[in-house]
Amino acid sequence: MTTLKALIVDDEEYSRKSLYFLIQENCPEVQVAGIVKSVSEARQLISAQVFNLVFLDIAMPKENGFELLPALQERNIRVIFTTAYDQYALKALKANAIDYLLKPIDIEELKTAVSKAEAWANLTSPRTPESLSSRESDESSQPTSSASRTQKKITLPNTYGFNVIDTADIIYVEADSNYSEFHLQDGEKLVISKPLKEIEDSLDPQEFLRIHKSVIVNFRYIKSYVNKNGWQIILSNGVTLPVSRRRATEFQEKAKNYFNK
């Protein structure tokens, strides 16, 4: 069982104490290592101690909970929002939160949220030298072509945990500030708080190409390529996307290689 070292941030004393006792009684995998009443106090504590989870209230005096997120993201600390207001749910999703708990906090919902946090911690925990050695041994007996090293699945966090999707199901990814919106072949859209450059680095460059500063496309879903007041591609789902002039030559070369395999 992975131990989650947690910080509680809430301006209300009753809420802090109530959440602490709920965690103590119901979540043995969580070690509450700090309790503070403001964002400024939380910043000071996370700069001095190591945490991997924060239970974070949103509506607080001076600074709200969202203003703590940059400091948490720098340290790869994940968040479970705890709030009396439900209007922040979408913003919490875009902030890559593990979960969003409404006060008064339900015990079963708390346990579910902690289970998601533990699953995330297991996925992101450093591998031991023994596990690395074992994996390297296994890989040494496998073909080392670029195709075998290519990431064919990608993990995307959502409100309830994680979506593990095949990269083949991604039609295109569109940037929205520091968020990225995945458009999947079944019509589903997933929004995560990662910049497009980070997404681009995780995808196979033989299958995907950034055709514009804000768009990455999957070659397999390209239906046509036309010049209507500038180059555009039309995807199998009917969406038309522009190809920037500076990327047009690279697109044409890669498209030729891809479709002439």
Side-chain angles (χ1 to χ4, degrees):
M1 179 174 65
T2 300
T3 299
L4 298 167
K5 189 174 180 181
L7 170 66
I8 294 174
V9 185
D10 198 308
D11 65 308
E12 297 178 348
E13 184 178 3
Y14 173 80
S15 294
R16 294 194 299 270
K17 290 182 176 178
S18 174
L19 179 54
Y20 173 77
F21 286 117
L22 283 176
I23 293 171
Q24 290 292 99
E25 292 295 320
N26 300 282
C27 305
E29 61 270 66
V30 178
Q31 174 195 354
V32 178
I35 303 176
V36 298
K37 62 180 182 294
S38 69
V39 167
S40 61
E41 289 182 0
R43 284 198 190 95
Q44 293 176 11
L45 200 56
I46 64 174
S47 67
Q49 296 186 37
V50 176
F51 296 90
N52 53 10
L53 180 65
V54 172
F55 292 90
L56 181 61
D57 187 22
I58 296 177
M60 292 183 285
K62 296 184 179 178
E63 294 180 280
N64 67 44
F66 289 110
E67 293 176 85
L68 182 62
L69 294 180
L72 300 180
Q73 290 167 351
E74 285 179 6
R75 295 165 174 81
N76 198 29
I77 302 171
R78 296 303 295 274
V79 176
I80 295 175
F81 283 108
T82 57
T83 178
Y85 305 97
D86 61 4
Q87 68 264 36
Y88 299 111
L90 179 58
K91 191 171 181 180
L93 170 62
K94 289 188 174 183
N96 226 359
I98 290 285
D99 212 335
Y100 183 89
L101 302 178
L102 285 175
K103 300 175 184 177
I105 293 173
D106 179 83
I107 292 175
E108 292 306 316
E109 291 181 356
L110 173 63
K111 289 179 179 178
T112 299
V114 168
S115 293
K116 297 174 195 173
E118 187 179 22
W120 163 79
N122 287 332
L123 282 172
T124 58
S125 61
R127 287 169 294 185
T128 64
E130 290 80 6
S131 67
L132 287 171
S133 176
S134 175
R135 180 169 179 175
E136 288 167 358
S137 176
D138 290 342
E139 289 179 345
S140 68
S141 63
Q142 299 297 325
T144 56
S145 66
S146 60
S148 69
R149 295 193 300 268
T150 300
Q151 184 175 351
K152 294 300 183 183
K153 290 186 182 293
I154 190 168
T155 301
L156 306 179
N158 61 37
T159 306
Y160 305 101
F162 301 89
N163 290 322
V164 180
I165 63 172
D166 290 320
T167 57
D169 292 335
I170 301 170
I171 299 178
Y172 68 102
V173 188
E174 189 170 23
D176 179 12
S177 185
N178 287 327
Y179 304 113
S180 296
E181 185 175 70
F182 285 72
H183 297 256
L184 307 182
Q185 58 87 20
D186 62 359
E188 187 177 8
K189 297 178 183 178
L190 300 174
V191 179
I192 66 170
S193 59
K194 286 186 179 181
L196 202 63
K197 179 64 170 68
E198 189 172 337
I199 302 301
E200 182 181 18
D201 291 342
S202 70
L203 297 172
D204 184 354
Q206 302 303 315
E207 300 282 335
F208 293 86
L209 180 67
R210 193 164 180 169
I211 62 168
H212 189 274
K213 65 180 181 180
S214 61
V215 178
I216 298 171
V217 297
N218 187 339
F219 276 108
R220 72 173 60 218
Y221 294 104
I222 294 175
K223 184 177 179 182
S224 58
Y225 179 52
V226 297
N227 190 357
K228 293 182 178 179
N229 299 318
W231 285 105
Q232 300 174 331
I233 60 169
I234 301 173
L235 301 175
S236 59
N237 63 352
V239 171
T240 299
L241 298 170
V243 179
S244 68
R245 285 195 298 175
R246 63 184 292 266
R247 297 181 183 271
T249 300
E250 181 185 8
F251 171 80
Q252 291 169 15
E253 291 175 354
K254 286 200 170 184
K256 185 185 299 181
N257 292 332
Y258 181 84
F259 292 112
N260 290 331
K261 286 179 181 177

